[in-house]
Amino acid sequence: FCLLQQCLGTHEVSCDLYMVASSTEPQPQAKGEKTPISDTSYVGIDAILEQMRRKAMKQGFEFNVMVVGQSGLGKSTLMNTLFKSKVSRKSVQPNVEERIPKTVEIKSVSHDVEEKGVRMKLTVIDTPGFGDQINNENCWQPIMKFINDQYETYLQEEININRKKRIPDTRVHCCIYFIPPTGHCLRPLDVEFMRHLSKVVNIVPVIAKADTLTLEERDSFKKTIREELRANGIDVYPQKEFDEDAEDRMINDKIREMIPFAVVGSDQEYQVNGKRILGRKTKWGTIEVENIAHCEFAYLRDLLIRTHMQNIKDITCSIHYETYRVRRLNESNILFTSNPPDHPAVQPKANGQPEEQPATPQPNGVAAQHEALSHEM
């Protein structure tokens, strides 16, 4: 009886499986009829983009840009034009009569900029005194030290045991270098500065006050500068070695062909053909800042803000800062290996057995080998 029941049960299961298999076979479909998409096929992976967007909108963004060039090249005006607000240091202190400092100084001003719900902490770092002395030898060193100091500050925050949930980012993401519109060639100071600083920061060279050059002079000057940059091994942003794929290479090649950007800055508005435009008014007409037929300011703005801002920050973090971090940690390890910490003092116990004295705890909780990370230039 049990054997018969098992056989019947097996037969029933086989019939059930046959019925399920028959019911899941595709039914014949009329010609031209679309196959309906089942809602159960949607997983929702694409929702991660919206999650990232909401998180980024809450946290906001940081962008630190440095402007370098001698006095009178329109650095403050260009920064105000880029962000269409008074963000430069001179705009914050308009009534202070400023004299040319005897040495290069580093001064920064931070602003909270918001557009369409997107918040960004913008820091503009100015370098008054650069290139304004009779002897400008090694005047790039204070700027190099400042950039490395920001890397060091970030590194020290990273190696802390109890570090902050979000480390404030004061690293210089981009350096806009202003070239005087001489129309001839780069000065030795220009070559020396970019040769040293291009290894630690993203440099974007611009020809300041390009409206003082004719179109032929401008094109010839740009070509000469590109040749000198190649001859001196200066790799300005966007660096060819950091192109991620063929599409990036194609886009960045077009940008590299326009470097340096010939720009004109102005925060004054004028009425031209019934439209309000930013420009510089002369006896011969109005130079429109955002008109690509007049200057290349629009290309510079797109590069820094609209198309490559995140890439500039990524290269700062993954290339320049990472290079600094590896070098500093290697220096620390070499110093720690060559000068190991003393062994704890050994004191005899009452029973004659040696007793180790506890080592002095570090005030910040960081291991002793990290003491070598103090920055020296």
Side-chain angles (χ1 to χ4, degrees), residues 48-111:
I48 187 66
L49 296 177
E50 180 61 23
Q51 297 171 36
M52 294 170 64
R53 189 190 71 84
R54 287 201 304 267
K55 184 177 180 180
M57 293 282 283
K58 288 180 181 179
Q59 291 181 345
F61 302 90
E62 295 168 322
F63 190 57
N64 308 319
V65 58
M66 173 181 279
V67 290
V68 180
Q70 68 185 58
S71 301
L73 291 180
K75 301 187 295 295
S76 299
T77 303
L78 184 69
M79 294 309 299
N80 293 341
T81 311
L82 269 175
F83 295 96
K84 294 188 176 181
S85 56
K86 304 291 185 180
V87 298
S88 67
R89 179 181 56 85
K90 288 185 177 180
S91 299
V92 176
Q93 303 170 342
N95 298 324
V96 177
E97 184 178 353
E98 184 177 283
R99 296 181 180 179
I100 296 176
K102 295 182 179 179
T103 58
V104 178
E105 298 178 355
I106 311 293
K107 297 182 179 181
S108 61
V109 178
S110 296
H111 304 269

Side-chain angles (χ1 to χ4, degrees), residues 42 93 123 139 143 157 241 329 347:
Y42 177 72
Q93 303 170 342
T123 301
C139 66
I143 300 174
E157 289 287 347
E241 60 180 312
L329 294 180
Q347 297 292 339

Side-chain angles (χ1 to χ4, degrees), residues 16 24 32 42-43 50 133 266 294 323 328 337:
D16 291 340
T24 55
Y42 177 72
V43 177
E50 180 61 23
Q133 313 303 320
S266 175
H294 292 188
T323 301
R328 294 292 290 125
T337 304

Side-chain angles (χ1 to χ4, degrees), residues 128-191:
F130 176 84
D132 294 328
Q133 313 303 320
I134 296 176
N135 182 8
N136 291 305
E137 185 179 4
N138 297 330
C139 66
W140 49 267
Q141 288 184 349
I143 300 174
M144 171 83 85
K145 183 179 184 303
F146 176 85
I147 294 173
N148 283 329
D149 284 347
Q150 307 317 304
Y151 291 152
E152 183 70 20
T153 301
Y154 198 90
L155 177 62
Q156 293 296 333
E157 289 287 347
E158 273 193 333
I159 64 177
N160 278 336
I161 294 177
N162 298 318
R163 62 182 179 182
K164 300 175 182 177
K165 184 178 179 181
R166 187 181 182 192
I167 301 175
D169 190 1
T170 61
R171 297 170 296 184
V172 180
H173 299 129
C174 178
C175 173
I176 304 177
Y177 185 74
F178 287 71
I179 300 171
T182 61
H184 300 295
C185 61
L186 291 175
R187 302 169 301 169
L189 174 62
D190 303 327
V191 174

